[in-house]
Amino acid sequence: MQSDESIFDLVPEIEAAVHKPKPYTSKFKKTTRKEYFSNKRSMGSMGPLKVERPNPHKFLKSKQFENRNATLRPSTGSKKKIKRKEPLPPKGDHGILAPTTEKDFIKTNIITAKTMKKGARPQSPLNWTKKPHYGEVPEYLTHVKDEIADEYTVLAQMEETQLYEDEPQLHVLGEEEKEELIMGLKSRWDEVWHTYQSLGLVSDDLESQIMRKEEHEKELDRIEAEIEMLSKPYVIVQDE
């Protein structure tokens, strides 16, 4: 049995040195470091070192900004115009007043109410059971029913005509016809019997001889059955 051990397993393996990639270093590192340690951030958290004190003579005076609009630059029309509300009417303007009238609206309303015609009272719901011709079959349904009955009658007549045409025509054989048929069958029976008796008992082809004898026997039986049927008093046959 072959073993998986090998002599080379005794030799110590030398581990390959893992070379780590160099860490990323920004190309702006030197510039950022120089700006950080310079004086640019001296006022980053506490404000400027020296603040100018307010002048006590420069205070807001009365009517200082009245003529300010005159000193501004003229408008170029680029700003959108604000739609303002209509101005309020002056104090003495009372507007257009409605014409005065001496009409007494209370009396007018009373007269109108008395002379008003009474409206139609709501009628009671219609009682359909007392409606004329209630419970009668509509006239159009009677016409439809008659048309359906006529169609059924026509279909029944067509079926009867078809059955009568398809039904075979029968008639009773007369005595002369029966005697003629019986005589023909007897003569045929004699011929088959004579042929049957003439068959030899010994033959080279035994199987064919047996088959011919069986065929003659079947034909003799059939002829005897037909003669027996024609010997009955009434024989009904189908017309061709």
Side-chain angles (χ1 to χ4, degrees):
M1 182 176 181
Q2 189 176 0
S3 176
D4 295 337
E5 296 181 356
S6 176
I7 193 171
F8 294 102
D9 295 340
L10 302 176
V11 180
E13 294 182 359
I14 301 173
E15 296 182 359
V18 179
H19 298 283
K20 296 182 179 181
K22 294 182 179 181
Y24 172 76
T25 305
S26 175
K27 61 181 180 179
F28 304 104
K29 179 178 179 180
K30 293 180 179 180
T31 308
T32 307
R33 185 178 180 85
K34 185 178 179 180
E35 289 180 357
Y36 184 79
F37 288 103
S38 64
N39 294 326
K40 287 185 178 182
R41 293 182 54 84
S42 59
M43 298 181 293
S45 59
M46 300 300 293
L49 296 176
K50 292 183 179 181
V51 180
E52 185 181 359
R53 295 182 178 181
N55 190 352
H57 299 288
K58 293 181 180 180
F59 57 88
L60 186 61
K61 299 178 182 180
S62 176
K63 301 181 181 180
Q64 183 178 356
F65 297 103
E66 284 186 355
N67 298 327
R68 184 179 180 183
N69 294 332
T71 60
L72 295 176
R73 291 183 296 174
S75 177
T76 57
S78 60
K79 294 183 178 179
K80 295 182 179 180
K81 293 183 180 180
I82 301 173
K83 188 177 180 180
R84 300 182 181 276
K85 296 181 179 180
E86 295 293 334
L88 295 174
K91 188 176 182 180
D93 189 4
H94 298 290
I96 301 173
L97 300 176
T100 58
T101 178
E102 296 180 356
K103 182 178 180 180
D104 192 350
F105 291 95
I106 297 176
K107 291 183 178 179
T108 306
N109 292 340
I110 293 172
I111 295 170
T112 305
K114 288 182 178 180
T115 57
M116 185 184 298
K117 294 182 179 180
K118 295 182 180 180
R121 294 183 179 179
Q123 298 180 357
S124 59
L126 181 62
N127 189 356
W128 294 98
T129 57
K130 296 182 180 180
K131 182 182 177 182
H133 308 291
Y134 172 77
E136 297 181 2
V137 180
E139 188 176 356
Y140 74 94
L141 289 180
T142 306
H143 294 315
V144 173
K145 187 176 180 181
D146 295 340
E147 291 177 359
I148 294 173
D150 295 340
E151 291 179 1
Y152 277 119
T153 303
V154 173
L155 290 174
Q157 291 177 358
M158 292 174 63
E159 290 178 358
E160 290 179 0
T161 306
Q162 187 68 24
L163 290 173
Y164 180 75
E165 292 177 355
D166 296 340
E167 187 178 357
Q169 301 296 326
L170 306 176
H171 71 278
V172 181
L173 284 178
E175 294 295 333
E176 296 181 357
E177 292 178 346
K178 287 196 297 181
E179 291 294 335
E180 184 177 355
L181 290 173
I182 290 171
M183 293 301 295
L185 290 172
K186 286 182 177 181
S187 62
R188 175 61 182 166
W189 188 91
D190 293 338
E191 292 177 3
V192 175
W193 175 255
H194 180 70
T195 306
Y196 177 76
Q197 291 293 333
S198 64
L199 292 175
L201 297 177
V202 181
S203 175
D204 297 334
D205 192 359
L206 184 61
E207 293 182 0
S208 60
Q209 187 77 7
I210 294 172
M211 291 178 61
R212 283 197 294 273
K213 289 183 69 175
E214 290 178 353
E215 289 178 359
H216 289 313
E217 289 175 356
K218 290 180 181 180
E219 188 173 0
L220 289 171
D221 293 339
R222 181 180 60 79
I223 294 171
E224 290 175 357
E226 291 178 356
I227 291 172
E228 184 179 358
M229 183 182 64
L230 291 172
S231 299
K232 293 180 180 180
Y234 298 102
V235 179
I236 301 172
V237 295
Q238 179 181 347
D239 295 340
E240 294 181 358

